[in-house]
Amino acid sequence: MKTKLFSHVVSEDDPRIAEAAKIIRGGGLVAFPTETVYGLGANALDPAAVRKIFLAKGRPADNPLIAHISSFEEIRRLVRVLPESAEALSKRFWPGPLTIILPAAPCVPPEVTAGLPTVGVRLPAHPIARALIREASVPIAAPSANSSGKPSPTSALHVFEDMCDRIDAILDGGRSGVGVESTIVSLASGKPKLLRPGGISLEQLQSVLGEVDVDKAVREKLAEGERPLAPGMKYRHYAPKAPMTLVMGDPEKSLLKIRELAGPEDGIICFDEYFFRFGNTKYIRGFGHSCHPEEQAARLFKILRSFDSLPVRHIYSQCPEEKGIGLAVVNRLKKASGFSIIQV
Ligand code: AMP
Ligand code: MG
């Protein structure tokens, strides 16, 4: 199949969005920009179309998809119960980078939920994403538009690298601003639980919900056979081709540790203000100031991908604190490194 590229789609009135929506309604796959990362969309109510997402990505069948909607009212059709806490969260953070897990309505096919009794729903903030969903008049199931296991795409070029001729179309709406995927919070049973940190911080969730549990898979490597509540969290993810080690702790100490370990053929990811203190290193990338985790989130996946076209042997990374969006940045770094971590 030849992938159609709709380039430079910057206005929600662009007539090519209607063309892309027609592809979705016809059972095809369209990659589109969201404020978190690029999504790979199909009609969420069409099981055959959803199956194509798993094929194109090489995604394991037990990893469920998020259903994207364009207005709050559309959630009623997808969920069996809508607790007040979900309404409160959506009032505060929708449209935006937050996915809410709730008991699924019978119309949601098991291809979307991976057979779970729950469904993840998100109302994205990106105007092109919302225009596409509105035009398609169906909820759009969309995981990140990368090959399974690779860093998520934050530009149409990244999608093209992974998905060229595997999907029907790509809407190029420029760079994704947040840069890491949505926060996933489960309101499906008992106490609210953070399943994946993302663009909305744990502290922001707590400000609306009070106490929020944090799933073990957010910070730790799961034991063999242990099942996380968000099945995607068990896979090696976001991984560059070269092996990677995360050096956690005080940046002055991680600087010294990385200088000690890294050879001239190794890659380094560091805070911007440390860039020149690593000396004469070839493959070094600054991912933002240590005080600016939003910047680190926005740049991280592009940097991880950039090492794939370089002959780097091993990648070492400095690590921010696990607070605010920093919790999401550290979660992605831990998973990209396959939990190869040195604490300094
Ligand atoms: P991706 O968009 O590729 O980052 O994948 C979507 C993520 O949402 C995966 O990690 C899934 O495990 C998670 N997810 C989607 N639906 C559910 C659900 N019903 N329960 C738990 N996690 C979910
Ligand atoms: Mg993904």
Side-chain angles (χ1 to χ4, degrees):
M1 143 201 333
K2 183 106 187 87
T3 301
K4 216 176 217 179
L5 180 64
F6 298 109
S7 56
H8 201 63
V9 182
V10 288
S11 155
E12 57 194 283
D13 302 322
D14 191 312
R16 292 171 298 170
I17 296 175
E19 208 178 314
K22 207 166 143 198
I23 296 174
I24 297 273
R25 271 200 311 276
L29 300 185
V30 177
F32 61 98
T34 85
E35 72 278 20
T36 57
V37 300
Y38 271 68
L40 178 56
N43 177 355
L45 304 177
D46 177 347
V50 174
R51 280 197 291 272
K52 290 185 196 166
I53 293 179
F54 287 85
L55 263 180
K57 284 185 56 107
R59 184 177 177 99
D62 67 349
N63 194 359
L65 307 178
I66 294 166
H68 294 74
I69 55 177
S70 64
S71 77
F72 177 77
E73 289 308 311
E74 293 161 38
I75 193 176
R76 298 186 193 281
R77 180 176 173 194
L78 299 174
V79 302
R80 212 160 32 73
V81 268
L82 188 61
E84 261 175 38
S85 53
E87 297 205 37
L89 274 185
S90 66
K91 267 209 184 91
R92 178 82 179 273
F93 301 120
W94 277 2
L98 177 69
T99 297
I100 304 176
I101 307 285
L102 289 167
C107 71
V108 183
E111 281 79 2
V112 172
T113 62
L116 295 171
T118 53
V119 63
V121 185
R122 176 161 105 86
L123 173 49
H126 199 294
I128 305 296
R130 277 163 67 198
L132 178 68
I133 304 163
R134 210 165 42 235
E135 279 286 341
S137 316
V138 288
I140 295 187
S144 49
N146 51 289
S147 301
S148 205
K150 283 186 61 170
S152 300
T154 51
S155 72
L157 179 64
H158 299 161
V159 178
F160 202 77
E161 284 168 0
D162 284 16
M163 291 296 155
C164 180
D165 296 342
R166 304 176 72 83
I167 62 176
D168 296 284
I170 301 173
L171 279 174
D172 181 355
R175 209 168 63 91
S176 291
V178 177
V180 290
E181 301 83 349
S182 61
T183 299
I184 303 181
V185 65
S186 175
L187 302 177
S189 55
K191 214 200 260 178
K193 191 166 203 179
L194 176 70
L195 305 187
R196 176 176 75 182
I200 300 294
S201 68
L202 175 61
E203 296 82 350
Q204 284 174 299
L205 292 180
Q206 286 163 336
S207 74
V208 174
L209 297 171
E211 249 185 274
V212 178
D213 283 343
V214 177
D215 193 52
K216 194 176 157 209
V218 169
R219 292 198 176 96
E220 289 173 45
K221 185 179 182 174
L222 294 174
E224 202 65 43
E226 206 172 348
R227 235 183 111 76
L229 287 172
M233 296 287 275
K234 79 178 172 207
Y235 295 106
R236 180 155 188 250
H237 229 135
Y238 321 117
K241 285 183 192 149
M244 180 169 153
T245 296
L246 179 61
V247 184
M248 295 184 76
D250 178 71
E252 284 297 327
K253 290 186 184 156
S254 60
L255 165 80
L256 295 179
K257 185 45 103 185
I258 294 172
R259 277 210 308 224
E260 175 194 322
L261 294 172
E265 301 308 320
D266 292 331
I268 294 172
I269 302 172
C270 68
F271 298 122
D272 284 357
E273 71 271 32
Y274 284 81
F275 192 91
F276 293 106
R277 297 180 60 197
F278 278 95
N280 210 356
T281 312
K282 253 193 298 187
Y283 307 125
I284 182 161
R285 302 277 185 271
F287 77 147
H289 192 279
S290 58
C291 298
H292 204 177
E294 287 79 10
E295 181 72 40
Q296 297 155 22
R299 290 202 219 155
L300 179 63
F301 287 143
K302 184 176 179 184
I303 287 174
L304 289 176
R305 275 180 179 262
S306 75
F307 285 121
D308 284 353
S309 53
L310 297 170
V312 292
R313 207 186 48 164
H314 198 105
I315 300 164
Y316 294 93
S317 180
Q318 289 190 298
C319 184
E321 284 181 64
E322 289 179 296
K323 61 180 190 202
I325 197 173
L327 182 63
V329 174
V330 178
N331 169 267
R332 304 314 188 267
L333 283 167
K334 282 179 176 173
K335 291 177 70 68
S337 72
F339 288 87
S340 164
I341 296 170
I342 297 173
Q343 182 73 49
V344 290

